[in-house]
Every structure is written in structure tokens, then in C-alpha cells.
Amino acid sequence: MGTGFIVSLVVAAIVIIIIISIAIPMDRKYVVREYGRINYKKTKLYLRWNVFDTMTLCLAIYSMICVQVLNFLITSGLTVENVYVQFFTNQAQAFTVVSFIYLIQRIAMTLKTIKERWGEEIG
């Protein structure tokens, strides 16, 4: 494994730890649970823009920047042996996947909240 891959894994681990350290306390504080299940009628978190959404938007922008830098490095003739290509390859892959998974999860939770709160009125 090259140096760029190792540095990228360390950076990704640090960012994931930061994300988890923000997400877990936010979930415990703002998500209303009854009998171990989320009560979507009482939970307002999924209908508002929050800190986690802002952080995820920043990660999505970061992943786009990584993809563009990787594109520039590859078109300038560098190969996977270059540490910068290794670093930006891992960063772009990791945070594109994380951003996409969060987007899907966020849409699902928002739709569940809307259905629980206004399901009878809408349909």
C-alpha cells in the first residue's frame, strides 16, 4: 500500500470520527423515541436543516473538489504510483459514497416524517 493510501485512510478515519461525534449526541438529543422506535410525529429534526446536513454538504463539496483534483492530476500524466493520486482517489471514493448514502437516508427519513405528520391530509 502506498503512502497516499495510508494518509488517506488516516484522514478518512479522522473525518468519520468527527461525523460520528456530532451525529450521536444530536440523535440522542433531538430524536424522540418511544419503545425503541422513532416517533416521527414528535421528531422535528428531519423537517429542518441541521448541523449534520451542513457538514454533509461540506463533505459533498470536498468530494467534488477531490474528484476534480484527481482529474487534473491524471490528465497531467501522473499515475497511481503518485502519492497525490492515491490520496485523492481514496478521498473521492470514500466521501462520495458517504454523501450519497446520507442523501438517500435523509430523503427516506424526511418522507417518513411527512407521511406520519400529514399522511391523511395529503392523500
Side-chain angles (χ1 to χ4, degrees):
M1 218 187 282
T3 306
F5 285 123
I6 294 170
V7 172
S8 179
L9 290 174
V10 170
V11 170
I14 291 170
V15 172
I16 295 295
I17 289 170
I18 292 170
I19 290 171
I20 290 172
S21 68
I22 292 171
I24 290 173
M26 187 177 72
D27 182 68
R28 289 185 179 161
K29 184 175 182 180
Y30 294 108
V31 175
V32 178
R33 296 187 192 280
E34 293 176 352
Y35 307 111
R37 299 186 67 157
I38 297 174
N39 184 338
Y40 290 101
K41 283 189 176 186
K42 293 181 181 178
T43 302
K44 297 178 184 177
L45 178 70
Y46 300 122
L47 296 175
R48 290 189 264 176
W49 188 267
N50 55 52
V51 175
F52 200 62
D53 294 326
T54 304
M55 187 173 56
T56 305
L57 178 65
C58 292
L59 279 177
I61 291 169
Y62 175 68
S63 68
M64 287 189 297
I65 290 169
C66 286
V67 169
Q68 293 304 317
V69 170
L70 180 62
N71 186 27
F72 174 75
L73 291 173
I74 290 174
T75 56
S76 65
L78 297 175
T79 63
V80 76
E81 284 87 25
N82 186 300
V83 293
Y84 295 113
V85 172
Q86 294 171 4
F87 176 81
F88 286 113
T89 299
N90 276 356
Q91 292 293 294
Q93 286 176 344
F95 292 116
T96 300
V97 170
V98 168
S99 299
F100 183 73
I101 289 172
Y102 178 73
L103 173 68
I104 299 300
Q105 182 258 348
R106 176 72 169 155
I107 290 171
M109 292 293 201
T110 303
L111 290 175
K112 284 181 186 178
T113 304
I114 290 170
K115 181 181 175 188
E116 287 291 322
R117 285 182 175 230
W118 301 291
E120 301 83 31
E121 298 171 15
I122 293 174

